[in-house]
mmCIF file of all heavy atoms in Angstrom:
data_model
loop_
_atom_site.group_PDB
_atom_site.id
_atom_site.type_symbol
_atom_site.label_atom_id
_atom_site.label_comp_id
_atom_site.label_asym_id
_atom_site.label_seq_id
_atom_site.Cartn_x
_atom_site.Cartn_y
_atom_site.Cartn_z
ATOM 1 N N LEU B 484 81.983 -14.235 -12.359
ATOM 2 C CA LEU B 484 83.312 -13.808 -11.920
ATOM 3 C C LEU B 484 84.274 -14.992 -11.846
ATOM 4 O O LEU B 484 85.450 -14.877 -12.223
ATOM 5 C CB LEU B 484 83.211 -13.121 -10.558
ATOM 6 C CG LEU B 484 82.408 -11.825 -10.516
ATOM 7 C CD1 LEU B 484 82.357 -11.285 -9.085
ATOM 8 C CD2 LEU B 484 82.986 -10.787 -11.444
ATOM 9 N N ALA B 485 83.786 -16.130 -11.353
ATOM 10 C CA ALA B 485 84.642 -17.318 -11.275
ATOM 11 C C ALA B 485 85.028 -17.808 -12.666
ATOM 12 O O ALA B 485 86.168 -18.249 -12.892
ATOM 13 C CB ALA B 485 83.926 -18.424 -10.500
ATOM 14 N N LEU B 486 84.094 -17.746 -13.620
ATOM 15 C CA LEU B 486 84.407 -18.107 -14.996
ATOM 16 C C LEU B 486 85.453 -17.165 -15.582
ATOM 17 O O LEU B 486 86.344 -17.592 -16.333
ATOM 18 C CB LEU B 486 83.140 -18.081 -15.858
ATOM 19 C CG LEU B 486 82.159 -19.238 -15.668
ATOM 20 C CD1 LEU B 486 80.830 -18.932 -16.364
ATOM 21 C CD2 LEU B 486 82.753 -20.526 -16.222
ATOM 22 N N ALA B 487 85.353 -15.881 -15.241
ATOM 23 C CA ALA B 487 86.350 -14.920 -15.723
ATOM 24 C C ALA B 487 87.735 -15.259 -15.183
ATOM 25 O O ALA B 487 88.739 -15.190 -15.913
ATOM 26 C CB ALA B 487 85.946 -13.503 -15.316
ATOM 27 N N VAL B 488 87.794 -15.652 -13.905
ATOM 28 C CA VAL B 488 89.081 -16.033 -13.315
ATOM 29 C C VAL B 488 89.618 -17.307 -13.964
ATOM 30 O O VAL B 488 90.809 -17.420 -14.266
ATOM 31 C CB VAL B 488 88.938 -16.220 -11.793
ATOM 32 C CG1 VAL B 488 90.190 -16.871 -11.201
ATOM 33 C CG2 VAL B 488 88.678 -14.888 -11.121
ATOM 34 N N SER B 489 88.735 -18.273 -14.195
ATOM 35 C CA SER B 489 89.180 -19.560 -14.741
ATOM 36 C C SER B 489 89.804 -19.423 -16.121
ATOM 37 O O SER B 489 90.644 -20.247 -16.512
ATOM 38 C CB SER B 489 88.002 -20.541 -14.793
ATOM 39 O OG SER B 489 87.106 -20.197 -15.837
ATOM 40 N N SER B 490 89.410 -18.400 -16.874
ATOM 41 C CA SER B 490 89.955 -18.217 -18.224
ATOM 42 C C SER B 490 90.947 -17.062 -18.305
ATOM 43 O O SER B 490 91.347 -16.672 -19.402
ATOM 44 C CB SER B 490 88.804 -17.968 -19.209
ATOM 45 O OG SER B 490 88.081 -16.810 -18.850
ATOM 46 N N ASP B 491 91.348 -16.518 -17.164
ATOM 47 C CA ASP B 491 92.240 -15.355 -17.140
ATOM 48 C C ASP B 491 93.696 -15.813 -17.179
ATOM 49 O O ASP B 491 94.246 -16.275 -16.183
ATOM 50 C CB ASP B 491 91.980 -14.525 -15.883
ATOM 51 C CG ASP B 491 92.607 -13.146 -15.947
ATOM 52 O OD1 ASP B 491 93.763 -13.045 -16.389
ATOM 53 O OD2 ASP B 491 91.938 -12.171 -15.568
ATOM 54 N N GLU B 492 94.321 -15.673 -18.327
ATOM 55 C CA GLU B 492 95.705 -16.107 -18.477
ATOM 56 C C GLU B 492 96.679 -15.177 -17.767
ATOM 57 O O GLU B 492 97.787 -15.587 -17.426
ATOM 58 C CB GLU B 492 96.058 -16.202 -19.966
ATOM 59 C CG GLU B 492 95.331 -17.324 -20.697
ATOM 60 C CD GLU B 492 95.598 -18.689 -20.083
ATOM 61 O OE1 GLU B 492 96.742 -18.935 -19.632
ATOM 62 O OE2 GLU B 492 94.657 -19.501 -20.025
ATOM 63 N N GLN B 493 96.291 -13.911 -17.557
ATOM 64 C CA GLN B 493 97.162 -12.997 -16.815
ATOM 65 C C GLN B 493 97.370 -13.489 -15.385
ATOM 66 O O GLN B 493 98.493 -13.501 -14.876
ATOM 67 C CB GLN B 493 96.566 -11.593 -16.801
ATOM 68 C CG GLN B 493 96.694 -10.833 -18.108
ATOM 69 C CD GLN B 493 96.148 -9.412 -17.981
ATOM 70 O OE1 GLN B 493 94.986 -9.201 -17.625
ATOM 71 N NE2 GLN B 493 96.982 -8.431 -18.260
ATOM 72 N N ILE B 494 96.274 -13.904 -14.750
ATOM 73 C CA ILE B 494 96.387 -14.441 -13.389
ATOM 74 C C ILE B 494 97.208 -15.719 -13.398
ATOM 75 O O ILE B 494 98.099 -15.927 -12.564
ATOM 76 C CB ILE B 494 94.984 -14.701 -12.794
ATOM 77 C CG1 ILE B 494 94.234 -13.382 -12.583
ATOM 78 C CG2 ILE B 494 95.098 -15.457 -11.471
ATOM 79 C CD1 ILE B 494 92.832 -13.556 -12.030
ATOM 80 N N ARG B 495 96.936 -16.585 -14.365
ATOM 81 C CA ARG B 495 97.641 -17.860 -14.434
ATOM 82 C C ARG B 495 99.141 -17.639 -14.598
ATOM 83 O O ARG B 495 99.967 -18.298 -13.958
ATOM 84 C CB ARG B 495 97.086 -18.684 -15.600
ATOM 85 C CG ARG B 495 97.387 -20.184 -15.502
ATOM 86 C CD ARG B 495 96.842 -20.920 -16.731
ATOM 87 N NE ARG B 495 95.429 -20.650 -16.928
ATOM 88 C CZ ARG B 495 94.455 -21.308 -16.324
ATOM 89 N NH1 ARG B 495 94.750 -22.262 -15.463
ATOM 90 N NH2 ARG B 495 93.191 -21.014 -16.563
ATOM 91 N N THR B 496 99.513 -16.711 -15.480
ATOM 92 C CA THR B 496 100.933 -16.434 -15.724
ATOM 93 C C THR B 496 101.591 -15.811 -14.506
ATOM 94 O O THR B 496 102.713 -16.176 -14.134
ATOM 95 C CB THR B 496 101.084 -15.490 -16.932
ATOM 96 O OG1 THR B 496 100.478 -16.084 -18.077
ATOM 97 C CG2 THR B 496 102.550 -15.212 -17.215
ATOM 98 N N THR B 497 100.890 -14.867 -13.857
ATOM 99 C CA THR B 497 101.447 -14.211 -12.671
ATOM 100 C C THR B 497 101.709 -15.202 -11.555
ATOM 101 O O THR B 497 102.786 -15.198 -10.937
ATOM 102 C CB THR B 497 100.479 -13.117 -12.167
ATOM 103 O OG1 THR B 497 100.277 -12.156 -13.196
ATOM 104 C CG2 THR B 497 101.046 -12.431 -10.934
ATOM 105 N N LEU B 498 100.750 -16.075 -11.303
ATOM 106 C CA LEU B 498 100.894 -17.033 -10.210
ATOM 107 C C LEU B 498 101.868 -18.150 -10.552
ATOM 108 O O LEU B 498 102.475 -18.747 -9.658
ATOM 109 C CB LEU B 498 99.530 -17.619 -9.851
ATOM 110 C CG LEU B 498 98.490 -16.608 -9.334
ATOM 111 C CD1 LEU B 498 97.201 -17.318 -8.961
ATOM 112 C CD2 LEU B 498 99.042 -15.838 -8.148
ATOM 113 N N ALA B 499 102.030 -18.443 -11.834
ATOM 114 C CA ALA B 499 102.958 -19.497 -12.234
ATOM 115 C C ALA B 499 104.406 -19.119 -11.915
ATOM 116 O O ALA B 499 105.263 -19.997 -11.757
ATOM 117 C CB ALA B 499 102.819 -19.784 -13.726
ATOM 118 N N ASN B 500 104.677 -17.830 -11.781
ATOM 119 C CA ASN B 500 106.043 -17.372 -11.506
ATOM 120 C C ASN B 500 106.341 -17.292 -10.014
ATOM 121 O O ASN B 500 107.451 -16.934 -9.630
ATOM 122 C CB ASN B 500 106.255 -15.981 -12.129
ATOM 123 C CG ASN B 500 106.164 -16.019 -13.641
ATOM 124 O OD1 ASN B 500 106.567 -16.997 -14.275
ATOM 125 N ND2 ASN B 500 105.626 -14.953 -14.244
ATOM 126 N N ARG B 501 105.356 -17.616 -9.188
ATOM 127 C CA ARG B 501 105.577 -17.560 -7.751
ATOM 128 C C ARG B 501 106.066 -18.915 -7.242
ATOM 129 O O ARG B 501 105.600 -19.955 -7.685
ATOM 130 C CB ARG B 501 104.289 -17.186 -7.015
ATOM 131 C CG ARG B 501 103.866 -15.752 -7.264
ATOM 132 C CD ARG B 501 102.738 -15.365 -6.342
ATOM 133 N NE ARG B 501 102.370 -13.973 -6.528
ATOM 134 C CZ ARG B 501 101.412 -13.379 -5.833
ATOM 135 N NH1 ARG B 501 100.735 -14.050 -4.930
ATOM 136 N NH2 ARG B 501 101.128 -12.106 -6.043
ATOM 137 N N PRO B 502 106.983 -18.920 -6.299
ATOM 138 C CA PRO B 502 107.456 -20.193 -5.753
ATOM 139 C C PRO B 502 106.400 -20.844 -4.867
ATOM 140 O O PRO B 502 105.933 -20.236 -3.903
ATOM 141 C CB PRO B 502 108.683 -19.788 -4.928
ATOM 142 C CG PRO B 502 108.441 -18.354 -4.575
ATOM 143 C CD PRO B 502 107.684 -17.759 -5.728
#
Side-chain angles (χ1 to χ4, degrees):
L484 296 178
L486 285 168
V488 169
S489 73
S490 60
D491 194 317
E492 292 302 323
Q493 285 183 303
I494 293 179
R495 200 182 306 275
T496 302
T497 301
L498 297 182
N500 295 325
R501 291 190 177 181

